[in-house]
Amino acid sequence: MSFADYSQKAEDHQCMLVLVKQVGPHKSNLFHKIIDRICLVNHTLVPESKRHVWLRFKRVVRLENNAWGDFQAHRRVAGLMCVGKATTEIELASIYANFDTMKDGYKSTLFDSRCFVFGMTAETATESVSGEKPDVVYFPSFEESQTLEDCVNDFACSLFWVLESKRLERLNDRNDKLPLLIAPFERKDMVGIDTETRAFRRRVVGRMRKHLADLSLMAGLVQEAFSHYQVAFEILKNANDWLWMAATIEGMCAASVIMLYPSTLRKVNLPRNSSFTGGMSLKHDHVKINNKASTLPSNGLKEDMSDERQKICYPADDIVEKYKEAIMHYSKYKHAGIVEMEASIKATQVIIMQQKKLEAAEFLQNVVYINLNLSDSEKVERYSALSHLFSEIGFKRKASFFKRVAAMQCVSPNNPSPAWGHCHSMLLETLKGFRITLEPREFMSNKTNGWPDLQQRIMQELVFTARKMGKAEIAIRYMCFILHCLSDHLTTLEKRELAAMLESYTSKVPSPTDSISLDNGLLLPPVPFTKFPSLRSFKLVRLSPHLDPVHILVESPSCKSPVFKSPFIYSPLQSMNRNKKLPPTKVAFKWVAEEMCEVELKFYNPLPFELRVANLGFLAEGVEFDPTPAAIVLPAESGPHLVSIMGTPKKMGTLKITGYTTHVMGVKSNCRLPLIPSIKEPYYEVEVVPSLPRLKVTTSLPKAASTLSLKPETKKVSVASSVSLLEGESLSCQVTLSNTGKAPVETATLELMNLDSVPRDCFTWSEENIETQLPLATGGKLLFTIYIKASGDFLLKSAIQQDEMPETPTVSSYFNSPARSTPNRSVSTAFIEASKPSRIQDKVDSIVKTIEGMLKLTYSGGEGLKDCYYRETNILIKLHKRPSLMITNWTTIPATSPQQFYLVLDFLNGTCNEVHVQYGSNQSMILTHKQSKRIAILLDRFTITQPKPASPVTPKPGCVPVLQEQVKLDVLYAQQLAMLTNITWSIISFKRTGTVSVEHISLSDAMIDNIRLCPIQWSVTINEMQHEHQEDPLKVKVGEIVDLRVNLTNNMEELLDDLSIVVEPFQDQQNGVKLAHFDEHVACMGCNKVIDESLGAGLSLTHTCQYVFFQPGLFKFSMQCREKRPRFSSKDSPDALGTPQPERLSLQMPRISLPSKPVKTPKFKGKAQTSLTVWKYRPPIEVLVVGEG
């Protein structure tokens, strides 16, 4: 036998072989459906005999194999079926001729034949020249062939009756007339043989009985066939006919398999291709058998099988041993190698059904060692069959090995027309056995990846095969797989060579990013270069803080977003929404449509050569997105390298970023985040808000050197400017807003954030100026001015000591001052000139204060404004304030006129330059560096009257009292002083000017007494002479009566109640001690005080008394007017709001109407006390008493 049939099974011994051929020149595709329908009828029941007939269809049966029909009856062609299409007489004649030719080729073994002609009816054929034939079946068309299966059944029955007649004929033959059946290679051995010997006669009888057993098996008489095989075996054994004895053993094994494994275990519906191609039928045929046999015990038998059946066939465990015996006998004949190989394959299939995989491997190994002279195509078929059988028993790697050997035979050097496509398909089938999956993610996630050297060898062979096929894109895909998935097992030289080859191919053929479909239907998945370069981190970058969109819910005609309205001040739903945790794939910030966004990637280059990465961008879904490609060059074996890639979302919505794109070594890769082990999240989502304007802020001031700060508001600073001013100096800053975005600016507001740490008038601007320039179109500019003033308190507080503060001058201090010796100078003039030298000049240079003005600019416009999205940017202005003029000491002294007073200030020049100071009415002075001088500013007295404390009043229902914050009286006086004084300074050399404010000086009660205009008008008459403020005291003699008349006029607009006038003489010892109530020195005639009087507005009160002095000396009269008023002392009283002095403060209680039930009115409870207000006559009247001599 020259050609092996690798599709044979043990069950095929009971099948009659039918050759199916297509005749005619028509397309074969039209006949495939017909052939499939014919092949489905491989089993039929003969009605008359109640026996089953099995058919085995093959498309190609070589005549050399048909000659082995005597050796094994199932190998002969018992039936012939031809299929053709004829619409004309010529075509019909051609079909007849081809049909007759094929019948002549197999006429020695044919039992019957049929020809199916489509496109012509029997009547049409009768009318033709060729006429109608009895063994031809006619069908009008392919569609009108419903009786095709019935015709095949009839043909099978016809074959059966011919077979049955031959079986009966052989059964009745006489032993002396039997011919000798021989195998094809035995013909040459029959020359000169003695036919009259007993051994020869036994051989003739034994072989004929074996042939009868074959016919009985094909006729459905399995038990009878097994009996004939047993008799033939004994006869042939005695004749030492080892070849036919092996065939007999094989027949008994086949009969045993048929009985032990009934026909229900066999596949009935055979696919078209599996019936005619050797190795492929094994795959489809045994899959079903294996599944069925999995339900059987270890020997493949059902447990309910009767003992009778087991007695008339080999037990399941003996079948394998008998096959071994048959194969051993076959191996004695070199011309029976193919029969031996087919027997081994049949035995293997039986063992597979019995699930004895190791024994099956032994039989297959025997097939490998059978030496046959085969052609390349036969070798391919042989190794393919071996590969499939090894796969059936679970030997995956050995199956892949033989499949690879078969692939190499397709392109062997001796083959004049190598089949590279077939070789490529077979190599792809070996991948599973070598644990290679072309899906990179699956391959790299599998920890047991197999054998790297074998995998690399197979992939290299696939690359070479694809190149020979002329499929460069497939070769590129394989090279990408090797470099990406097997790079850890490649040497440095191999990596360089593979990369160079890859660049060479991609320069000629572009590498597709999608899956590549092969001719066999397999898809080659893309191989993204996620390792070249290797990504370690993937981070979405937030917009700059000053560009970050802020969602502000405001009631505005431009904002269409609903405002959260609730009748409650607080709702728990608000905090729940704010504290809701975002999923890890959702970032906590937003991007803006039509604006560039950024993603940061950290790359490593593991390759031993420089890596050029082009077209670096990121993959996005959900929103229309325009990436901006980038290109980088990474040095060999280096990292990490921080790379930023940019892109622009075009519309609002949820942007889903799933990965990034690269172009490395000519290969375009779409690297998805799930493919990267170092990235935990499969994607990232970011909300894209509608387009917003984008303002660029510039100022006319120099930039600040540093803006580092821990304050959160500094993160949104878009411009930081710095300016250095002297205290009291002013400067204007020009601010320019340029709209660089794609939306107009429709609203813009500016506010000062840190009001608590910035003086009140330090930064000012015009809101109206900004609003008049809106809306600001794209590319437009808006200009406004910020006025900066270096406001301060001008006080050197650290240098102020209690002993350095001058006392308020009095008449008594005049005698201890140098002015006492100069009668022509006043006390005030003497105090002004007596300036103490300052000891704190050295501390001025270190006094530098920095004021940071944080101005927040909130703006919006376009589509973003409709959804209530704004942008906030901060303008930081650092004001370095240096001292100009420092007030070291201050006080107030009375002037010569009771309607005026002096504000006395000690100034220190804190600059390094000469300063000109102007004050008062065209008064000026010059201070050099660190020089200190005292000035006195003459001002008119004034009085700041606070309202009386409001009496507790019960508010109406629904109203609650609200107490306004009260201002201290000394602060009010200091603010009024700042308004009356006009102190300016200038540095002429630098053309710098400024002002000095006294608003922050603290005033004591004594200072306020000098400032306050007395509400009581005093008129004093001594000895019927009006007293005037004179510098010299009044002279009287000892014992002379001094008549003193005091007249008070109420200049206030309110009634003074519980009023008292007290006149009291005393002596000033000039050491802080005042002597009063001395009867031995002075005597009062009359009453020295008036009490419990009331004085209405505009009315006068007069008090008269006389005094007599008994000894000389300098005496003074102290005259006071006192008023007592009730006040509350508990915490609930109005004066408990922090009033330090007994002055009367206003208490206002605004009403707030509430829609609900009335609120209780707070009542003031506490013990009533009195406050005393004293008005003095100043300066005291001085009387110089002299002796009579």
Side-chain angles (χ1 to χ4, degrees), residues 930-1181:
K930 294 186 180 181
Q931 184 181 6
S932 178
K933 284 187 179 182
R934 178 174 293 174
I935 65 173
I937 304 174
L938 182 63
L939 300 172
D940 293 334
R941 290 175 180 261
F942 58 89
T943 301
I944 298 178
T945 304
Q946 293 182 334
K948 295 181 180 180
S951 300
V953 179
T954 303
K956 295 181 180 181
C959 301
V960 294
V962 179
L963 303 181
Q964 293 182 344
E965 184 180 358
Q966 300 182 5
V967 183
K968 295 182 179 181
L969 187 61
D970 60 338
V971 176
L972 297 176
Y973 273 96
Q975 291 175 355
Q976 185 64 24
L977 281 178
M979 296 175 61
L980 296 177
T981 57
N982 183 20
I983 306 174
T984 61
W985 58 266
S986 62
I987 301 177
I988 300 176
S989 58
F990 291 97
K991 297 181 181 181
R992 303 178 71 172
T993 61
T995 60
V996 179
S997 175
V998 296
E999 181 180 356
H1000 301 281
I1001 63 175
S1002 59
L1003 300 175
S1004 63
D1005 294 342
M1007 295 180 186
I1008 294 176
D1009 288 343
N1010 292 331
I1011 298 173
R1012 186 164 47 190
L1013 184 63
C1014 185
I1016 302 298
Q1017 183 177 352
W1018 296 83
S1019 177
V1020 180
T1021 303
I1022 302 177
N1023 296 334
E1024 297 182 353
M1025 293 181 60
Q1026 186 72 27
H1027 179 264
E1028 300 291 343
H1029 293 281
Q1030 300 175 356
E1031 295 185 358
D1032 296 331
L1034 176 66
K1035 292 183 179 182
V1036 296
K1037 294 181 179 180
V1038 176
E1040 183 179 354
I1041 297 175
V1042 178
D1043 186 14
L1044 184 62
R1045 179 183 296 272
V1046 180
N1047 183 271
L1048 301 180
T1049 303
N1050 183 7
N1051 292 332
M1052 301 176 66
E1053 297 179 356
E1054 62 180 4
L1055 173 68
L1056 297 177
D1057 197 8
D1058 196 5
L1059 197 67
S1060 63
I1061 301 176
V1062 179
V1063 179
E1064 193 176 50
F1066 68 93
Q1067 275 189 322
D1068 191 355
Q1069 299 298 320
Q1070 300 295 331
N1071 58 0
V1073 179
K1074 295 181 180 180
L1075 297 178
H1077 304 290
F1078 42 93
D1079 296 338
E1080 65 274 10
H1081 293 164
V1082 61
C1084 177
M1085 294 178 290
C1087 185
N1088 68 336
K1089 64 176 66 175
V1090 179
I1091 60 176
D1092 296 335
E1093 296 290 339
S1094 297
L1095 185 60
L1099 299 182
S1100 299
L1101 177 63
T1102 303
H1103 172 62
T1104 304
C1105 60
Q1106 292 84 26
Y1107 288 91
V1108 178
F1109 295 94
F1110 301 135
Q1111 63 181 19
L1114 182 62
F1115 295 86
K1116 295 182 180 180
F1117 285 99
S1118 171
M1119 292 176 285
Q1120 297 180 359
C1121 178
R1122 303 175 181 175
E1123 181 194 18
K1124 294 182 180 179
R1125 285 183 179 269
R1127 67 181 180 87
F1128 296 91
S1129 60
S1130 90
K1131 293 182 180 179
D1132 297 330
S1133 66
D1135 284 341
L1137 297 173
T1139 308
Q1141 300 296 339
E1143 285 80 3
R1144 297 176 296 279
L1145 301 180
S1146 61
L1147 181 63
Q1148 299 180 1
M1149 303 169 65
R1151 294 180 178 181
I1152 301 176
S1153 299
L1154 296 178
S1156 59
K1157 57 186 179 181
V1159 181
K1160 294 181 179 181
T1161 306
K1163 296 180 179 181
F1164 298 104
K1165 298 179 181 180
K1167 185 177 179 180
Q1169 298 180 1
T1170 58
S1171 62
L1172 181 65
T1173 304
V1174 180
W1175 292 280
K1176 297 180 180 180
Y1177 180 78
R1178 290 186 179 182
I1181 298 175

Side-chain angles (χ1 to χ4, degrees), residues 746-1035:
E746 301 179 24
T747 175
T749 58
L750 187 66
E751 61 176 324
L752 183 62
M753 297 181 63
N754 49 345
L755 290 172
D756 298 336
S757 59
V758 176
R760 181 179 56 201
D761 57 346
C762 187
F763 302 98
T764 57
W765 62 89
S766 174
E767 289 284 353
E768 183 179 357
N769 182 24
I770 298 176
E771 292 177 358
T772 55
Q773 300 182 59
L774 296 177
L776 181 63
T778 302
K781 293 184 179 182
L782 186 150
L783 290 83
F784 66 95
T785 303
I786 298 177
Y787 301 96
I788 306 173
K789 184 177 180 180
S791 303
D793 53 10
F794 296 89
L795 305 177
L796 190 60
K797 295 182 180 179
S798 61
I800 299 175
Q801 304 294 336
Q802 189 65 29
D803 58 348
E804 294 181 357
M805 289 294 298
E807 297 181 358
T808 300
T810 61
V811 178
S812 61
S813 64
Y814 166 74
F815 293 96
N816 290 339
S817 66
R820 183 67 183 85
S821 62
T822 308
N824 295 328
R825 299 175 65 190
S826 66
V827 177
S828 300
T829 305
F831 178 79
I832 292 172
E833 292 180 354
S835 175
K836 296 174 63 177
S838 177
R839 301 194 302 265
I840 46 81
Q841 286 89 343
D842 296 336
K843 303 179 182 180
V844 177
D845 293 339
S846 61
I847 303 176
V848 178
K849 186 176 181 181
T850 300
I851 300 175
E852 291 188 355
M854 191 69 66
L855 286 80
K856 181 173 72 172
L857 177 63
T858 305
Y859 63 95
S860 182
E863 295 296 327
L865 180 60
K866 296 179 181 179
D867 290 345
C868 296
Y869 282 102
Y870 293 78
R871 273 181 167 159
E872 295 178 352
T873 181
N874 294 342
I875 304 173
L876 176 63
I877 300 179
K878 283 190 174 183
L879 173 60
H880 302 286
K881 185 177 65 174
R882 299 182 179 276
S884 55
L885 293 182
M886 307 296 295
I887 301 176
T888 58
N889 297 311
W890 66 90
T891 188
T892 59
I893 59 175
T896 55
S897 172
Q899 305 297 324
Q900 294 180 325
F901 73 98
Y902 283 101
L903 176 62
V904 182
L905 303 171
D906 286 352
F907 277 124
L908 172 66
N909 182 6
T911 69
C912 299
N913 306 99
E914 187 180 80
V915 178
H916 293 253
V917 184
Q918 292 184 348
Y919 62 95
S921 56
N922 297 326
Q923 292 179 307
S924 64
M925 69 174 180
I926 298 176
L927 293 177
T928 60
H929 177 49
K930 294 186 180 181
Q931 184 181 6
S932 178
K933 284 187 179 182
R934 178 174 293 174
I935 65 173
I937 304 174
L938 182 63
L939 300 172
D940 293 334
R941 290 175 180 261
F942 58 89
T943 301
I944 298 178
T945 304
Q946 293 182 334
K948 295 181 180 180
S951 300
V953 179
T954 303
K956 295 181 180 181
C959 301
V960 294
V962 179
L963 303 181
Q964 293 182 344
E965 184 180 358
Q966 300 182 5
V967 183
K968 295 182 179 181
L969 187 61
D970 60 338
V971 176
L972 297 176
Y973 273 96
Q975 291 175 355
Q976 185 64 24
L977 281 178
M979 296 175 61
L980 296 177
T981 57
N982 183 20
I983 306 174
T984 61
W985 58 266
S986 62
I987 301 177
I988 300 176
S989 58
F990 291 97
K991 297 181 181 181
R992 303 178 71 172
T993 61
T995 60
V996 179
S997 175
V998 296
E999 181 180 356
H1000 301 281
I1001 63 175
S1002 59
L1003 300 175
S1004 63
D1005 294 342
M1007 295 180 186
I1008 294 176
D1009 288 343
N1010 292 331
I1011 298 173
R1012 186 164 47 190
L1013 184 63
C1014 185
I1016 302 298
Q1017 183 177 352
W1018 296 83
S1019 177
V1020 180
T1021 303
I1022 302 177
N1023 296 334
E1024 297 182 353
M1025 293 181 60
Q1026 186 72 27
H1027 179 264
E1028 300 291 343
H1029 293 281
Q1030 300 175 356
E1031 295 185 358
D1032 296 331
L1034 176 66
K1035 292 183 179 182

Side-chain angles (χ1 to χ4, degrees), residues 244-263:
W244 286 78
M245 187 174 62
T248 303
I249 297 174
E250 185 181 357
M252 286 189 290
C253 291
S256 300
V257 170
I258 293 171
M259 285 188 286
L260 294 178
Y261 304 96
S263 58

Side-chain angles (χ1 to χ4, degrees), residues 406-658:
M408 294 297 102
Q409 291 296 329
C410 295
V411 292
S412 64
N414 299 327
N415 193 345
S417 56
W420 292 105
H422 195 195
C423 175
H424 179 260
S425 299
M426 286 188 172
L427 287 176
L428 289 176
E429 295 177 9
T430 66
L431 298 182
K432 186 176 181 180
F434 292 118
R435 295 182 183 177
I436 300 176
T437 172
L438 295 179
E439 177 61 45
R441 183 180 184 183
E442 182 180 351
F443 179 82
M444 300 181 70
S445 62
N446 187 9
K447 296 182 180 179
T448 56
N449 280 335
W451 307 268
D453 292 340
L454 288 177
Q455 293 169 346
Q456 182 181 348
R457 176 68 178 270
I458 291 297
M459 294 306 301
Q460 291 286 3
E461 291 175 351
L462 281 172
V463 172
F464 183 79
T465 304
R467 290 169 54 191
K468 288 295 185 179
M469 292 168 58
K471 301 294 182 64
E473 66 278 1
I474 299 178
I476 292 173
R477 183 63 52 87
Y478 292 145
M479 285 189 284
C480 293
F481 183 88
I482 297 173
L483 187 60
H484 184 263
C485 299
L486 300 174
S487 59
D488 296 339
H489 309 286
L490 298 176
T491 64
T492 301
L493 181 60
E494 289 174 340
K495 291 179 182 178
R496 292 181 182 274
E497 292 178 351
L498 191 59
M501 185 185 304
L502 192 58
E503 290 182 354
S504 174
Y505 271 82
T506 53
S507 63
K508 302 174 184 178
V509 179
S511 173
T513 57
D514 299 329
S515 299
I516 300 176
S517 178
L518 302 179
D519 296 337
N520 58 358
L522 183 66
L523 292 178
L524 292 181
V527 183
F529 278 164
T530 57
K531 293 175 61 176
F532 312 119
S534 176
L535 181 66
R536 298 299 174 87
S537 68
F538 190 89
K539 178 184 176 183
L540 274 67
V541 180
R542 190 172 194 156
L543 293 176
S544 299
H546 67 281
L547 298 178
D548 209 14
V550 181
H551 198 207
I552 304 176
L553 295 179
V554 295
E555 293 185 357
S556 170
S558 301
C559 181
K560 296 181 180 180
S561 180
V563 182
F564 183 84
K565 296 182 179 180
S566 174
F568 303 100
I569 297 176
Y570 170 77
S571 172
L573 297 177
Q574 300 176 13
S575 60
M576 287 175 61
N577 292 334
R578 286 194 300 266
N579 298 331
K580 186 177 181 181
K581 188 176 181 181
L582 293 174
T585 57
K586 187 101 173 181
V587 296
F589 52 84
K590 297 178 176 64
W591 284 346
V592 181
E594 300 292 342
E595 288 196 14
M596 193 76 71
C597 53
E598 179 183 359
V599 175
E600 283 186 357
L601 299 92
K602 189 177 292 184
F603 284 126
Y604 283 78
N605 179 17
L607 295 175
F609 50 85
E610 185 180 74
L611 189 63
R612 298 180 180 272
V613 184
N615 195 26
L616 184 60
F618 46 88
L619 302 172
E621 300 175 0
V623 176
E624 183 181 353
F625 191 79
D626 184 17
T628 303
I632 58 173
V633 178
L634 304 179
E637 297 178 347
S638 62
H641 301 279
L642 191 62
V643 180
S644 295
I645 53 179
M646 317 294 287
T648 306
K650 294 299 182 180
K651 297 180 181 178
M652 66 172 293
T654 301
L655 181 64
K656 184 177 180 181
I657 299 178
T658 58

